[in-house]
Amino acid sequence: GGIGAGKSTVAALFAARGAVVIDTDQVARDVVEPGGPAYDGVVRRFGPGILDADGRVVRSRLAEAAFADSGARADLNALVHPAVETVVRETLARLDIPGRVVVLEVPLLVEAGWAPMVHRVVVVDCPEEVAVRRLVEIRGMDEADARRRIGAQASRAERLAAADHVIVNDDTLDDLRRRVDELWASLT
């Protein structure tokens, strides 16, 4: 799902039901830590202005630089996505959990071309206005920034076209739990 769709909430609901969850957003944060496989390239491309006093990437500064234009975003993706994919593949290879559901929480699954890498694609979907409201109210984003970030991602149509399953997240948490339960029953 796109930003603000509720991917993390759905991933947490799957984890509560016994799934192993790999959060690729966390992996993306890890690969740009000092010494991480994407750190040097990201700092070279975006400059020392994205770093704090300890030399760590400040995500808000990096996002501001990366979302400035599509070329910068493409450069960031070219630096980070391969490193994230390597870490995820290594993690999956180390997991020995027959019979368990493994959930990859991937914000940019369609954009990164990862759909063929997984057995099934579950898209968490909501109308754009719902996502914007969540980003503004819950994450404290400026509305224009929220819309810019949504616009920089794959469209709803592109994500839905890649989906094997769709979880609509446009109502209450209880409603979302029910939808996750229905899908969980079909996966296990």
Side-chain angles (χ1 to χ4, degrees):
I3 186 170
K7 292 175 303 301
S8 296
T9 302
V10 169
L13 291 170
F14 276 128
R17 286 153 181 77
V20 174
V21 176
I22 300 172
D23 178 357
T24 62
D25 228 6
Q26 181 59 53
V27 175
R29 286 189 285 277
D30 295 344
V31 301
V32 298
E33 283 292 311
Y39 178 83
D40 291 336
V42 167
V43 173
R44 262 193 313 277
R45 168 58 180 89
F46 293 98
I50 65 166
L51 302 176
D52 67 12
D54 295 324
R56 299 179 96 101
V57 172
V58 177
R59 287 179 56 89
S60 60
R61 292 179 193 168
L62 178 58
E64 185 177 326
F67 281 89
D69 65 72
S70 59
R73 199 169 48 257
D75 290 346
L76 178 63
N77 290 342
L79 292 163
V80 174
H81 287 178
V84 170
E85 183 175 353
T86 297
V87 170
V88 168
R89 287 185 184 277
E90 289 170 355
T91 302
L92 290 171
R94 283 194 311 270
L95 291 175
D96 183 20
I97 47 174
R100 299 239 357 237
V101 174
V102 177
V103 174
L104 297 180
E105 182 185 348
V106 185
L108 302 176
L109 181 95
V110 172
E111 295 87 339
W114 284 20
M117 179 173 141
V118 298
H119 296 285
R120 296 183 192 173
V121 174
V122 176
V123 170
V124 181
D125 184 55
C126 70
E128 183 175 321
E129 291 308 312
V130 172
V132 169
R133 181 176 37 82
R134 288 177 182 154
L135 294 171
V136 170
E137 293 175 4
I138 298 169
R139 295 196 195 174
M141 280 187 187
D142 171 87
E143 183 177 339
D145 185 36
R147 290 187 186 284
R148 188 175 77 239
R149 290 185 188 211
I150 288 170
Q153 294 183 337
S155 69
R156 282 179 79 192
E158 289 169 317
R159 282 191 300 276
L160 293 172
D164 296 303
H165 306 279
V166 177
I167 294 178
V168 177
N169 183 20
D170 62 353
D171 205 351
T172 67
L173 184 56
D174 285 338
D175 189 52
L176 182 62
R177 282 188 188 107
R178 182 185 54 74
R179 291 173 177 159
V180 169
D181 283 337
E182 290 170 1
L183 180 55
W184 182 255
S186 75
L187 297 174
T188 55

